[in-house]
Amino acid sequence: MTPAIEPTQESVFTIREIAPKIFDMTIVSSTEEGSAALISKHAKAGQFVMIRGGEEAERIPLTIAQTEPEKRAVRLIFQVAGTSTHKLSLLKPGDPVLNLAGPLGKPSEIVEGKKVLVIGGGVGIAAILPIARELYHAGNEVTVVLGARTTALLILKDEFAQISHHLTLCTDDGSEGHKGFVTDAIKDLVAYRGVYDVGWAVGPTIMMKMCSEIAKQLDFPLWTSLNPIMVDGTGMCGGCRVLVGDEVFFACVDGPEFDGRLVDWDNLMLRQKQFKNEEADSYHHCRLEDQLNSR
Amino acid sequence: MLNRSKQKTKLTERSPEDRRKDFLEVNDGYTFTEAVSEADRCLQCRNAPCIQGCPVAIDIPGFIKAIQEKDLERSWEILYTTNQLPAICGRVCPQEKQCEERCTVGKIKDSEPVAIGRLERFTADWKRKAGFTPVTIEVTKPEKIAVVGSGPAGLTVASELAKNGYAVDLFEALHAPGGVLTYGIPEFRLPKEIVRAEIEGIRQLGVSLRTDLIVGKTIYFDEIRQKYRAVFLGIGAGAPKFMGVSGTNLNGIFSASEFLTRVNLMKAFRFPYADTPITIGKHVIVVGGGNVAMDAARSAMRLGAQTVTIVYRRTETELPARWEEYHHAIEEGIRFMWLSNPIAYLPGPDFRVTGARIQKMGLGDPDASGRRKPVPLPGVEETLDCDCVIEAIGQSAHRILSEGFKEVRLNRYGYIEVDPETLMTSVPGVFAGGDIVTGAATVIEAMGAGKTAAKGIMRYLTAIA
Ligand SMILES: Cc1cc2nc3c(=O)[nH]c(=O)nc-3n(C[C@H](O)[C@H](O)[C@H](O)COP(=O)(O)OP(=O)(O)OC[C@H]3O[C@@H](n4cnc5c(N)ncnc54)[C@H](O)[C@@H]3O)c2cc1C
Ligand code: SF4
């Protein structure tokens, strides 16, 4: 008898660069037992997967943007930020994906019948999509604020238009929507529409920190999705430890969402820089390899 | 012909200067002549006290006799009937506390016991090189069994059940099987190629292995229980502990689990050829005194640290690490700071650790483990400069457990409660064994638990049939 189930066949179904360096990728399984198939059946908003594109690649966490159980498909949206994401971005439809495991982390606590605020910044816009979708279908009044450096990076606007009651767009350079940061837009919205029952913010760490300060002032809970460095994603290494309300938590199993009002943001930002030099080396090394290979 | 030498046949080891530069093994094991000569020291005791010291009861005099007779194929057959992971056990088992401790030859005045571990490794390595013919076993039983976790406990349950004709699905959360054998114990002590080869042998028995599947997340526990007649949980005790002293969140401070996972599983030692980085400082402190601490310290040295200091709160006498590993560490230039315990990590301007405040300790009365308890000497402190700290102070029950398997009753330490005879948990048909039941222990004890659980499972299936 030959062993029946191997690391299953996961492959790229579609991959598209939807904005400079931002890729929208769908992975499908060849069988019902495949990782993408099982993840699509079990995942809830707010959860993530660990993915590894090739044999020597790092395991990296990516938030699940969408699942389609009928198609055994998981959709991931990521920005090229280093070696691992660069390698993922080079995959073509039909290419195998070496490892995909999940869904990991605790699901978002989806409320019902509330007035909620959803804030997405940069590639965090993709991560907040499933949360906004769930909140919308659970009968909440959903206000969405999306921000990016410039209009080309303001992704998924059309999808958000369908799952929100109010949609506000901001760009740092004023090329689309309000000129300025999401924080300015939030202050205006609150002044105009009153305070929210609960909010979610996913984006660059500095954005989540600023949004949390506003939430603290205005006294409403704000869930933020923390993205420290992770290795295994299952609570085994402790590399992703974060300080929340003076207590140490592991983002991978206790989070990734925490009330931003209690997070020690400065500590998180310092820990994210832990391997900065090495990552630059590795990315450099990997770009060199690309150049050599393409000759 | 009996070899009356009082010493174990000498093994040529690579020089510590060479060793500390790479991740190759410390020695290449016995040659054929050396192995036969060492086997000739065995008295073939009729009562075989060595077997009683072995948690899986290998026929030790049996496989050694075959080496004496130069019949290595037979030696292998005897070994492999009881132990599916012999090349691994020959390398990492604490034989000095098990079979070799009971060996009659070791009881003779000034005499060392027979080198049972080295002989086990010899036979297993010979077979791997000679060519291993997989045994295929037909599935004859109707029941399907799920094994969760592919560490030594899970691998043993899976192979025992497969050998008895059961269909087994083995699930592993990570992308590679082996548990601690793969992500914990470093390459220079246990080459991953050997782990892969022995696991391959188990797969060839007909066990189907599925990696990247986290039971409780990718599939719910309920679904597994519905699909399978019995379930074994061998999920290990992999959650790292931190001492929790001030400064723990500084950069440059790792749990041994993170450090070793980066180095072993993700091959950070090959960075930048492999993509996962590890920053190793110039001056590394490792906190703890077990095998994990030795492995972390010796890995740090190999990654290019200038000094590596193990800080341990008791003394050499109480050190829980294997004696051999401790000696290898000393030879390789690892420093030891006894009766010392960090009480704070000191930050530098860039949020990186620059030193540790060390509390000096004295030894008080024996504690529950029988070892003398370390007590702080009030006011006696010193500072040790460092730019990297690795805490190796033990692991606790896996975090996913509490979420994934809520129905299973735990004891007050968070480990799974089982019936000691059958290893069945509070949920009928669900069994558990290995580190998740005992807390961090050894490879061979996890394998012993695997054997007991396999028997328990077969009895259970017969009873409900
Ligand atoms: C650094 C280090 C060095 C050591 N050195 C030695 C030594 O020299 N000699 C010795 O005898 N012992 C040693 N040990 C101890 C020994 O490795 C362990 O006691 C043994 O591996 C325990 O086996 P296990 O099968 O219970 O668990 P593990 O080996 O921990 O395996 C558990 C597996 O289950 C998987 N898992 C967990 N949860 C799930 C889930 N929900 N779904 C799917 N899979 C899951 C994990 O990913 C893991 O692969 C050492 C340990 C460490 C950490
Ligand atoms: S106790 Fe020692 S001498 Fe006696 S059979 Fe076992 S290994 Fe040989």
Side-chain angles (χ1 to χ4, degrees):
Chain A
M1 192 185 112
T2 38
I5 23 185
E6 284 306 298
T8 59
Q9 288 79 51
E10 314 300 323
S11 58
V12 177
F13 187 60
T14 54
I15 181 161
R16 204 159 56 88
E17 189 165 8
I18 54 170
K21 285 193 166 189
I22 300 181
F23 289 79
D24 186 340
M25 174 166 82
T26 304
I27 299 174
V28 291
S29 297
S30 53
T31 66
E32 283 304 323
E33 265 87 47
S35 288
L38 292 171
I39 293 168
S40 68
K41 256 197 249 166
H42 295 90
K44 299 204 175 75
Q47 291 187 298
F48 64 92
V49 292
M50 295 301 294
I51 183 169
R52 210 164 70 109
E55 199 41 67
E56 303 274 318
E58 209 174 341
R59 292 165 66 92
I60 53 163
L62 291 177
T63 306
I64 301 167
Q66 197 174 355
T67 52
E68 287 177 276
E70 331 66 66
K71 295 189 184 155
R72 309 181 194 132
V74 173
R75 179 182 178 198
L76 305 171
I77 297 174
F78 59 92
Q79 185 164 31
V80 174
T83 310
S84 319
T85 40
H86 171 69
K87 284 189 179 169
L88 281 182
S89 75
L90 298 177
L91 294 175
K92 299 272 165 293
D95 281 353
V97 174
L98 195 56
N99 303 104
L100 181 72
L104 293 159
K106 293 205 165 125
S108 310
E109 285 178 29
I110 299 299
V111 291
E112 283 169 26
K114 299 270 193 237
K115 197 174 152 194
V116 302
L117 176 65
V118 172
I119 311 155
V123 73
I125 294 176
I128 206 120
L129 181 68
I131 302 173
R133 196 185 290 123
E134 287 279 306
L135 288 167
Y136 183 80
H137 293 306
N140 296 288
E141 185 195 321
V142 181
T143 299
V144 173
V145 180
L146 304 180
R149 235 172 38 241
T150 180
T151 173
L153 296 169
L154 208 49
I155 54 173
L156 309 174
K157 290 166 280 205
D158 300 342
E159 288 182 55
F160 275 98
Q162 289 166 26
I163 51 166
S164 57
H165 299 94
H166 312 284
L167 175 63
T168 304
L169 304 177
C170 333
T171 48
D172 298 0
D173 64 1
S175 52
E176 186 172 1
H178 294 266
K179 180 174 161 66
F181 297 126
V182 291
T183 39
D184 305 327
I186 300 165
K187 283 183 198 147
D188 290 351
L189 279 169
V190 169
Y192 183 59
R193 297 178 194 275
V195 87
Y196 292 89
D197 294 323
V198 54
W200 273 263
V202 186
T205 311
I206 184 72
M207 180 205 98
M208 294 195 282
K209 177 186 176 181
M210 308 291 279
C211 291
S212 300
E213 272 162 20
I214 299 182
K216 213 182 221 168
Q217 282 160 23
L218 298 174
D219 200 24
F220 69 93
L222 182 77
W223 294 103
T224 51
S225 181
L226 306 191
N227 47 354
I229 295 166
M230 286 183 194
V231 183
D232 65 289
T234 64
M236 251 170 35
C237 77
C240 66
R241 53 196 194 275
V242 291
L243 278 174
V244 181
D246 285 335
E247 246 187 279
V248 175
F249 289 94
F250 289 2
C252 67
V253 284
D254 302 317
E257 288 181 11
F258 294 94
D259 188 338
R261 297 175 302 172
L262 304 174
V263 171
D264 184 332
W265 291 102
D266 297 335
N267 183 276
L268 177 65
M269 286 192 264
L270 288 162
R271 284 190 63 78
Q272 283 168 333
K273 290 193 192 130
Q274 173 122 305
F275 296 109
K276 222 168 171 204
N277 295 338
E278 290 81 359
E279 267 157 23
D281 283 354
S282 158
Y283 194 34
H284 180 68
H285 178 89
C286 128
R287 297 306 291 264
L288 275 176
E289 271 184 355
D290 281 359
Q291 281 172 19
L292 289 172
N293 291 339
S294 65
R295 266 195 219 151
Chain B
M1 195 188 40
L2 192 65
N3 171 354
R4 288 182 192 283
S5 161
K6 289 198 165 180
Q7 262 70 51
K8 289 181 178 176
T9 308
K10 238 179 104 47
L11 194 58
T12 340
E13 295 191 334
R14 297 169 61 222
S15 81
E17 291 69 41
D18 286 345
R19 265 152 47 193
R20 42 192 279 194
K21 289 186 214 124
D22 62 37
F23 277 76
L24 301 177
E25 280 195 274
V26 168
N27 62 62
D28 293 332
Y30 279 151
T31 60
F32 180 72
T33 326
E34 287 166 345
V36 175
S37 147
E38 180 61 21
D40 282 339
R41 292 181 66 226
C42 172
L43 306 172
Q44 294 292 312
C45 312
R46 194 144 288 159
N47 59 342
C50 49
I51 300 183
Q52 285 140 42
C54 175
V56 299
I58 294 173
D59 176 4
I60 294 168
F63 94 83
I64 295 183
K65 183 158 199 279
I67 302 178
Q68 292 173 350
E69 290 164 356
K70 306 193 170 93
D71 185 352
L72 300 187
E73 188 62 44
R74 168 129 192 84
S75 175
W76 161 258
E77 275 162 20
I78 296 170
L79 194 53
Y80 205 59
T81 339
T82 21
N83 187 346
Q84 242 66 49
L85 306 171
I88 295 172
C89 290
R91 285 174 168 79
V92 304
C93 277
Q95 291 98 3
E96 70 276 14
K97 291 182 189 146
Q98 298 175 347
C99 51
E100 294 185 14
E101 182 178 56
R102 315 256 182 127
C103 173
T104 315
V105 177
K107 305 281 182 222
I108 303 170
K109 192 169 177 294
D110 299 327
S111 177
E112 288 179 346
V114 173
I116 303 173
R118 293 177 187 174
L119 291 174
E120 180 181 25
R121 170 180 168 185
F122 168 76
T123 294
D125 284 358
W126 168 80
K127 182 66 192 176
R128 205 179 51 260
K129 284 175 203 144
F132 171 77
T133 5
V135 209
T136 320
I137 291 164
E138 287 301 313
V139 175
T140 53
K141 306 281 196 326
E143 298 95 341
K144 270 192 120 183
I145 297 144
V147 175
V148 185
S150 65
L155 288 169
T156 307
V157 175
S159 66
E160 290 295 307
L161 292 172
K163 284 197 275 181
N164 281 283
Y166 289 94
V168 183
D169 285 350
L170 175 58
F171 298 109
E172 170 56 49
L174 292 171
H175 60 259
V180 171
L181 305 174
T182 297
Y183 71 76
I185 305 181
E187 183 77 17
F188 56 84
R189 212 146 69 71
L190 181 60
K192 299 310 147 211
E193 184 203 323
I194 287 166
V195 178
R196 269 194 296 276
E198 297 210 321
I199 292 177
E200 190 53 33
I202 291 176
R203 286 189 40 215
Q204 297 289 354
L205 292 171
V207 172
S208 71
L209 167 70
R210 169 72 150 88
T211 52
D212 289 314
L213 193 145
I214 307 133
V215 174
K217 294 275 183 186
T218 316
I219 307 188
Y220 299 140
F221 187 40
D222 284 349
E223 295 175 280
I224 292 271
R225 282 179 56 207
Q226 274 167 20
K227 212 171 142 195
Y228 297 89
R229 294 299 287 277
V231 183
F232 175 79
L233 304 177
I235 55 180
K241 278 192 211 161
F242 287 96
M243 291 201 299
V245 306
S246 82
T248 301
N249 256 26
L250 293 173
N251 286 342
I253 297 179
F254 302 94
S255 69
S257 315
E258 177 180 0
F259 177 75
L260 290 170
T261 304
R262 279 179 181 273
V263 176
N264 297 322
L265 179 69
M266 307 312 298
K267 309 183 205 138
F269 68 89
R270 298 193 50 231
F271 184 83
Y273 298 96
D275 300 337
T276 305
I278 183 79
T279 327
I280 188 74
K282 290 194 179 72
H283 303 286
V284 179
I285 295 180
V286 176
V287 188
N291 285 324
V292 184
M294 301 303 137
D295 284 347
R298 294 173 67 200
S299 299
M301 189 56 105
R302 282 161 171 76
L303 289 169
Q306 284 170 15
T307 67
V308 180
T309 310
I310 289 186
V311 174
Y312 180 54
R313 34 188 205 135
R314 308 186 210 229
T315 69
E316 188 184 47
T317 327
E318 293 82 20
L319 202 69
R322 287 185 61 196
W323 195 243
E324 187 186 356
E325 305 310 332
Y326 169 51
H327 276 276
H328 284 152
I330 292 183
E331 284 170 9
E332 288 164 15
I334 311 283
R335 301 175 188 176
F336 284 80
M337 193 170 176
W338 308 114
L339 293 167
S340 303
N341 203 27
I343 45 173
Y345 300 126
L346 313 171
D350 57 352
F351 198 68
R352 211 184 154 82
V353 62
T354 54
R357 286 295 301 154
I358 308 281
Q359 165 77 61
K360 302 304 271 181
M361 315 290 278
L363 284 183
D365 297 331
D367 65 8
S369 72
R371 294 178 300 176
R372 290 180 64 193
K373 200 179 160 158
V375 280
L377 302 175
V380 192
E381 290 179 15
E382 64 181 274
T383 301
L384 189 60
D385 289 344
C386 66
D387 45 18
C388 179
V389 177
I390 301 166
E391 285 197 2
I393 56 155
Q395 289 94 247
S396 56
H398 209 286
R399 300 289 284 277
I400 285 190
L401 178 74
S402 47
E403 288 170 37
F405 315 107
K406 287 205 179 77
E407 303 89 323
V408 176
R409 196 184 313 136
L410 307 180
N411 67 19
R412 65 194 158 109
Y413 305 106
Y415 298 119
I416 298 181
E417 232 173 64
V418 291
D419 173 322
E421 238 170 76
T422 60
L423 300 195
M424 187 147 92
T425 66
S426 59
V427 182
V430 178
F431 297 74
D435 282 5
I436 189 55
V437 169
T438 54
T442 61
V443 171
I444 195 71
E445 282 166 297
M447 292 177 64
K451 295 225 164 196
T452 312
K455 284 195 200 105
I457 291 171
M458 290 188 274
R459 256 168 55 197
Y460 167 81
L461 291 174
T462 322
I464 60 163

